[in-house]
Amino acid sequence: MTDGETGRVFRLAYVPGVTPAKWVSIWTERVPDVPVTLVAASAAEVVGLLRDGGADAGFVRLPVDRDGLSVIPLYMETTVVMVPKDHAVAAADEVTVADLTDDEVFHPLDDTIEWTVRPGLPAFTRPATTAAAVELVASGAGLLLVPQSLARLHHRRDLTYRPVLDTPQSQVALAWPTDATTDLVEDFIGIVRGRTVNSSRGRTPASPAEKPAQRQAQKPAQKPAQKPAQRQAQKSAQNGSGRRAAPARRRGKGHRPR
């Protein structure tokens, strides 16, 4: 951490349905001197919040206007349909768009799923928010397609949801102002990307180069040269049973003929 960051707070924005707890937990372990302040923002507000300096980084739902922002896509979410528990869809484990052809489907103004053709029939109104649309679903006025995390966020006892197989999916990403890519932002990017503490992309200074004397000390010591007799003894030990070779018998003096 640089001197200019001492005493700072890292401000992290997040849109509904995103749970930043696991990343915040890792941050607390690695950067204990800089606390995290969580800033809840709607999908429509989060980009403006980042551009205005209201947060250092934020979790957003794509697509967003990327002008002036750096964006890292993270993961895709399954699209589900929210229905009353007594609806016919509730009897299935999963459904297709064709199964919703005769149902009215709400399209809230804060919907972030990119539709080419929306499933079902247009509902009588476009709710301002997903939360308002959920209330209308509970009243039996229609159905609602949302990312699975939003269905969990707006859980009600009288509603359930099922995956819709052939629909676009919502993508969650990390975004931050490109001109404000601070060391703290880099640290958080590393956490989100799963880098370890000792990652080469981190800000820990590299170890200094070894001195020649240190490199010399690490070289294995050279064995002293062996004498011919020692080499022969070692060779015999390797090729035989390990016993020392018997010394050659000296040739005795013969008797001269008388």
Side-chain angles (χ1 to χ4, degrees), residues 15-141:
V15 295
V18 176
T19 305
K22 63 179 180 180
W23 295 297
V24 172
S25 177
I26 298 173
W27 174 277
T28 302
E29 294 177 0
R30 294 189 186 179
V31 196
D33 296 332
V34 181
V36 175
T37 296
L38 295 177
V39 183
S42 68
E45 298 171 342
V46 65
V47 170
L49 182 72
L50 292 171
R51 288 199 179 112
D52 294 340
D56 299 295
F59 292 105
V60 303
R61 289 188 184 278
L62 300 180
V64 295
D65 181 1
R66 301 195 182 196
D67 185 29
L69 296 180
S70 294
V71 178
I72 300 176
L74 298 178
Y75 59 90
M76 305 290 292
E77 281 200 72
T78 300
T79 299
V80 302
V81 57
M82 297 187 71
V83 301
K85 284 192 172 180
D86 58 355
H87 193 279
V89 165
D93 292 331
E94 53 192 22
V95 298
T96 64
V97 171
D99 296 325
L100 309 177
T101 301
D102 298 328
D103 289 287
E104 292 189 9
V105 178
F106 291 106
H107 184 198
L109 297 176
D110 63 354
D111 184 14
T112 59
I113 298 176
E114 288 190 285
W115 299 101
T116 52
V117 178
R118 287 194 58 80
L121 303 172
F124 67 93
T125 184
R126 286 198 67 184
T129 64
T130 297
V134 170
E135 294 293 334
L136 291 171
V137 173
S139 72

Side-chain angles (χ1 to χ4, degrees), residues 22-23 26-27 30 59 66 70-75 173-176 181 185-197 199 201-202:
K22 63 179 180 180
W23 295 297
I26 298 173
W27 174 277
R30 294 189 186 179
F59 292 105
R66 301 195 182 196
S70 294
V71 178
I72 300 176
L74 298 178
Y75 59 90
L174 178 69
W176 68 95
T181 308
V185 171
E186 290 283 5
D187 286 340
F188 192 75
I189 292 170
I191 290 173
V192 170
R193 283 184 161 173
R195 295 178 196 152
T196 62
V197 177
S199 170
R201 294 291 299 274

